[in-house]
Structure formats: structure tokens, C-alpha cells
Amino acid sequence: MSRRSLFFTGERSVEVRDRPVPEPEAGEVLVRTERTAMSPGTELLVYRGEVSAGAAADETIEALDGEFSYPLQYGYAAVGRVAETGADVGEEWLDRRVFAFNPHESHFTADPEALVPTTLAPERALFVPTVEAAVNFVMDARPRIGSRVVVFGQGSIGLATTALLAEFPLAELVTVDYDEKRRAVSESFGADRAVSPDAVDSVLSEPADVSLELSGNPEALGDAIDVAGFAGRVIVGSWYGTKDVSLRLDEQYHRSHVRVRSSQVSRIDPDHADRWDKRRRMEYVTSWLADADLSPVLTHEFEIGDAKRAYRVVDERRDGVIQAAFRYDR
């Protein structure tokens, strides 16, 4: 038996390679993958060749401890069952469903401490990193009672962020996206209004207290700053890769006292670190996912052998795609 592993081999080039199934070491388990989710953000940058060569992938995740240089494996949303345990791992791990921050492949070994045991169905568990990122953005945004909030970008992370924000007693929650289908899902998740980028100014009754830029489009960052009111907060969750960002920082900006803050899920903001750690955040994520229905977000599933077509569909945003996942049926 062999495992199938997806490799990014160049700009807009992927291939699935057959490799030996690894044997777990004494303190490891072997996981047989059921589903992996395709990241519509960083992963597309890797696919498009829009990541600076040699940059660190993610030193906080053991499976991604490397550099962005082809060929490479990438991905960080794998759900599967433990198929085999090493000599020093208890048998209670056998057949347990787990989530792992691991690239796209049909089998992988891992330290049990790096896994998240779950009773969620694979289609829900796939959203663990999506919701973890969304929770991080909302924590950094710090919405207050009666706040006016605008979210730019309604891909999978933007929609999860909208669903979380909709639980707050906000005065107004407006979302922004070019895609009509995504706007409709956004409103079903609790947005008061979902509009195209060219309509933002006409629908906002007042400047925003908080705006979040989650679209991955550098042009949206300027819009997110422009809609913020005096001393408003702008949370930048997008990573633009090698794309240039151009901002108009005129006298209006300098007099506005707008706070522009980066937000990234790998580390807890020091402002929260005295009360929160990744374990506590993950416990909240899995608890929230048990009750949330994100099924409208998972629009496409592909068998891993069909990876080339899958990336073309997601890259070109065809067929109403929002979130795509790979199956491992054999």
C-alpha cells in the first residue's frame, strides 16, 4: 500500500505522488486521512507563486517546518482516523478521529500531542483552522456593544468571522464581497447587509467602529481604512504575498487616529495571553463548531487524484466555489 501526497511543483503546478506509507515511531500514531480542506488564502498564494521564495512556511506547526520553495507540501486542515499506534502510545488512540495541521496526503504520522481528537463529522472538523482564524480576528477586533462593524471578504474565513460577529449585540454588521452567492450566504449567517465593494459608501449610515480586511485583495485595505471612523480599528487578516499594497495616507488618515493592526492565528496577541492560550482557544473552536452549521461554505469536494482540476476551479473562482476539500476514497 502507498500513500498519496500532494506537492506544489511550480507556479500553478501540482502533482500527486505515490510514496511508501510511513511506520509510526514509538511515540507516534499513523493517521489515515478522510478529508483535507484547501486553504483559499495562503495556499492559493503558494499555488500562484505569490509567496516570497525562502520565506518560512509556519514555524509554529511541525508539519510545515520548512520554506516556501518548490517542490513543497502545504496544507493545514486534515481530518482522519488513527490507523496504527507506536509502541509507546496507548491503544485508546486506535480508530479515534482526529484533526491535524498537516499537508494534503492520504497517510501521515504525528505525535498525539499535536492532534485534536474530535467527535465532529469530517465535514465539520475541516473548519477547525478556519474558525480558529476567525476567532482570533474577532478577539483582536474587540467589538463593543452597539459597534458598527464592516467585514471585507466573504470567503470561508470571512464567512466564519461574520457568523461569530453576528452573535454580538452590534448596531450594524455589514459585509463586502464581489460575489453575489457569497453575499447571500453572508446574510444567512447574520450580516445586516452584504454589499459589493462599489456600494460600501452608499450603505453605511455612520463610519465603522471596526473594519476587518479578510479579502486577500490589497485594494480592499484602503477601503477598510476609509470606512473606519475616528479612532476606529482596522484589523488586517489578509496576507497579500508578493502583491504590492498601495495606500492613500493623506491628511484625513493622519487626523483620524485610526488604529491599523495585523492579526494572524499562529500566536495569541500578548493583550490576551494572560488569560488565553492556544489550547483554550481550540476548546472554544471545537465547541462552537459542534453547534454551528457551516455547510453552505463547503461547496466543492474533489478526490485527491483530481487535484489539478480542483486548484484551477478554486483559483478561477468557478462554479460558485467558496470552500473546497479533498477526499481520500482509496
Side-chain angles (χ1 to χ4, degrees):
M1 183 174 64
S2 61
R3 66 168 160 170
R4 291 170 295 160
S5 303
L6 188 147
F7 281 81
F8 295 86
T9 54
E11 183 178 332
R12 287 181 166 83
S13 175
V14 297
E15 63 181 55
V16 178
R17 300 176 180 176
D18 288 333
R19 301 193 295 163
V21 173
E23 291 286 337
E25 296 183 1
E28 295 181 329
V29 299
L30 173 68
V31 179
R32 187 187 187 284
T33 310
E34 296 173 294
R35 299 283 193 279
T36 57
M38 188 188 304
S39 158
T42 308
E43 191 168 331
L44 270 189
L45 295 179
V46 175
Y47 175 72
R48 294 167 177 164
E50 295 177 346
V51 178
S52 299
D58 192 331
E59 68 276 11
T60 67
I61 298 176
E62 184 176 351
L64 301 178
D65 187 16
E67 296 181 346
F68 286 117
S69 57
Y70 302 121
L72 80 154
Q73 289 183 268
Y74 195 74
Y76 49 79
V79 181
R81 288 191 180 275
V82 174
E84 188 177 339
T85 59
D88 295 339
V89 179
E91 290 190 359
E92 69 273 9
W93 279 93
L94 273 175
D95 202 38
R96 180 179 287 187
R97 177 169 287 146
V98 294
F99 171 87
F101 293 95
N102 197 83
H104 305 290
E105 54 189 349
S106 62
H107 301 76
F108 61 90
T109 56
D111 184 328
E113 292 187 1
L115 302 174
V116 181
T118 181
T119 58
L120 296 171
E123 295 77 11
R124 288 195 180 213
L126 282 175
F127 285 104
V128 164
T130 300
V131 175
E132 187 185 19
V135 167
N136 191 73
F137 296 146
V138 173
M139 289 177 67
D140 287 350
R142 297 169 176 80
R144 297 173 180 171
I145 293 174
S147 291
R148 294 179 291 272
V149 180
V150 181
V151 183
F152 289 83
Q154 291 297 282
S156 56
I157 289 179
L159 286 167
T161 303
T162 295
L164 286 163
L165 286 166
E167 299 180 358
F168 285 76
L170 305 176
E172 189 172 33
L173 176 58
V174 176
T175 59
V176 185
D177 200 282
Y178 284 102
D179 188 272
E180 183 177 357
K181 178 179 179 179
R182 297 182 182 205
R183 295 199 301 268
V185 176
S186 180
E187 289 182 330
S188 76
F189 280 6
D192 296 309
R193 282 173 290 179
V195 300
S196 62
D198 55 6
V200 177
D201 292 338
S202 63
V203 302
L204 288 180
S205 58
E206 298 286 346
D209 299 296
V210 182
S211 64
L212 298 96
E213 206 304 273
L214 310 178
S215 72
N217 180 0
E219 295 181 6
L221 180 55
D223 294 336
I225 293 172
D226 288 344
V227 302
F230 182 80
R233 291 186 299 283
V234 178
I235 305 301
V236 187
S238 292
W239 183 24
Y240 305 114
T242 58
K243 295 191 289 288
D244 290 333
V245 180
S246 179
L247 297 175
R248 186 182 67 257
L249 303 180
D250 54 16
E251 67 278 0
Q252 179 179 345
Y253 167 78
H254 284 284
R255 293 170 180 169
S256 70
H257 287 265
V258 166
R259 277 78 162 167
V260 180
R261 296 193 60 173
S262 65
S263 182
Q264 208 277 337
V265 71
S266 293
R267 293 183 173 86
I268 302 287
D269 188 294
D271 289 349
H272 310 307
D274 58 338
R275 297 173 304 282
W276 286 81
D277 57 18
K278 287 182 70 69
R279 179 194 58 78
R280 181 182 177 188
R281 186 174 64 186
M282 188 62 71
E283 288 175 352
Y284 178 78
V285 167
T286 54
S287 173
W288 188 85
L289 272 171
D291 297 323
D293 180 13
L294 296 183
S295 57
V297 182
L298 183 58
T299 55
H300 290 64
E301 285 192 311
F302 301 87
E303 209 281 326
I304 187 63
D306 203 16
K308 291 183 179 180
R309 182 170 71 91
Y311 281 98
R312 287 196 296 269
V313 168
V314 175
D315 184 28
E316 298 167 10
R317 289 180 63 164
R318 286 166 25 202
D319 306 328
V321 65
I322 301 177
Q323 174 67 63
F326 290 118
R327 300 188 309 271
Y328 298 80
D329 296 333
R330 63 173 178 84

